[in-house]
Amino acid sequence: YEDPPTREATAEGRRWTLKVTSWNVDGLRAWVRKGGAQVSQVHSSCPQSTPVPPSSLPAPHKSTPSSPQSLQSTLSPSQFTPSPPQHLQHLPAPPVPAGDPEHDSDGRVVTAEFPSLFVVSAYVPNAGRGLVRLEPRLRFDAAFLAFLRRLDAQKPVLLCGDLNVAHAEIDLCHPRANRASPGFTPQEREGFSRLLGAGFVDSFRHLYPEARGAFTFWTYLGGARARNVGWRLDYAVLSRRLLGALCDSKIRNTVAGSDHCPITALLAV
C-alpha cells in the first residue's frame, strides 16, 4: 500500500485547520532510541504509550513538552492545534468508574474539548492471547460506546487511536486464518459495527473504501512489515455530521519506530 498524496481541502474546497496524528508507540524507550520523538514532532502526534517515569527517558527527552511521560495516552494540545482545549481530561478509562481494576491497567482514554468538537485519544484493551480477556474487552466496548454517545450528544467527536480491531476482511492480510484471533473475533467486529451504527464513521474507509494492504500494525516476527503482512487496528472515527469537514485520513506506513505506524486525520473545522 502506498499512502496517496494528502488531500489538503474538503470536497467543497475548505482547507484543513485541524490535524491530529495518533501513534501507538509500544515501547517508549525503544521508540525514543529509534527517533520516534523527532517523527512525532514533525507529524504532530498524540502517542499512546506504556508507563515510563520521566527520569528513565534519555536526555533531552525528559522534559520536552512533546514527550509522552504518563500511563495515559498523551494528548498535548500544542501538538495539533494552535489554541488550547477548553477542557482536557486524563483518566485511565472515563467510561468506567476510576479505580476499576478491570480496565485501569490497560484501557487508556484522553478527552480534549474544543469549541466545535471533542477529540478523544484511546487505546482499547486487547482481548489477549487465547481470548482470555475477551469478555472484559466486550464490556469495555459497550461502556466506551455509551461514553462516546454522551459526548456526541453535546458536540461532534473525533476519536483517534489503537482500537484493537480489524473491522472487515480487507483490514488484515490473512482473515481466514485469524477468525478466532484477538482483534478479529465476530464479537469485536460487531462491536465496531455498533459504533458505526451509532452515528460514527471510519474516516479512512469512507475516503478509501477499496484500498487493500492499508495496514497500521505488523508483528515483529517473520519480517511481517517488509512483506506487509499486517492489520489495520488504528482508526480516526468521526461523528457523521463531521464528514463535510473531513479533508483526509492518512496511514503513515513508511514511518518506523514501533510495530504500529501513525495515522492522521485532517479536518476543516
Side-chain angles (χ1 to χ4, degrees):
Y1 173 76
E2 185 174 343
D3 192 26
T6 299
R7 302 179 183 187
E8 301 280 350
T10 67
E12 291 75 28
R14 291 186 293 137
R15 182 176 169 79
W16 68 268
T17 56
L18 174 68
K19 177 173 71 171
V20 179
T21 295
S22 175
W23 192 3
N24 183 338
V25 301
D26 195 17
L28 190 56
R29 295 183 187 89
W31 176 74
V32 169
R33 287 197 305 270
K34 295 175 182 177
Q38 287 78 14
V39 174
S40 178
Q41 291 170 352
V42 170
H43 289 287
S44 306
S45 64
C46 309
Q48 289 94 43
S49 68
T50 51
V52 175
S55 59
S56 69
L57 288 175
H61 303 291
K62 292 181 180 180
S63 60
T64 54
S66 60
S67 296
Q69 298 173 348
S70 65
L71 174 64
Q72 294 86 7
S73 305
T74 298
L75 194 155
S76 172
S78 64
Q79 292 176 312
F80 63 89
T81 177
S83 58
Q86 296 173 326
H87 181 64
L88 184 64
Q89 183 182 38
H90 289 260
L91 288 173
V96 296
D100 186 330
E102 181 171 61
H103 299 307
D104 275 4
S105 64
D106 53 7
R108 278 94 76 181
V109 178
V110 181
T111 304
E113 181 180 359
F114 295 90
S116 60
L117 80 166
F118 289 102
V119 176
V120 179
S121 176
Y123 169 77
V124 170
N126 190 291
R129 183 174 297 178
L131 304 179
V132 295
R133 289 186 50 78
L134 178 59
E135 289 305 317
R137 157 65 190 266
L138 298 180
R139 288 192 290 271
F140 182 93
D141 281 353
F144 191 35
L145 175 56
F147 169 73
L148 293 172
R149 295 183 74 168
R150 289 195 298 271
L151 292 183
D152 188 54
Q154 302 173 56
K155 61 182 69 173
V157 174
L158 168 62
L159 163 65
C160 292
D162 178 359
L163 304 189
N164 258 317
V165 62
H167 183 226
E169 291 192 354
I170 196 174
D171 294 318
L172 73 166
C173 188
H174 296 306
R176 290 186 180 181
N178 284 286
R179 296 195 186 282
S181 297
F184 197 60
T185 62
Q187 300 96 316
E188 292 166 296
R189 296 169 65 191
E190 288 167 8
F192 193 85
S193 293
R194 283 191 292 272
L195 173 64
L196 301 184
F200 297 91
V201 178
D202 175 351
S203 63
F204 181 82
R205 279 289 167 232
H206 175 77
L207 294 175
Y208 307 101
E210 304 299 327
R212 295 186 174 274
F215 305 136
T216 67
F217 165 81
W218 306 262
T219 177
Y220 288 123
L221 302 175
R225 187 157 189 172
R227 296 184 293 120
N228 199 29
V229 178
W231 299 56
R232 189 169 72 98
L233 301 179
D234 304 82
Y235 295 79
V237 174
L238 304 171
S239 296
R240 182 167 295 277
R241 61 192 186 278
L242 275 179
L243 277 180
L246 178 63
C247 299
D248 210 349
S249 185
K250 311 294 291 175
I251 292 179
R252 314 282 192 184
N253 60 339
T254 62
V255 176
S258 169
D259 53 357
H260 290 252
C261 73
I263 60 166
T264 300
L266 295 96
L267 302 178
V269 295

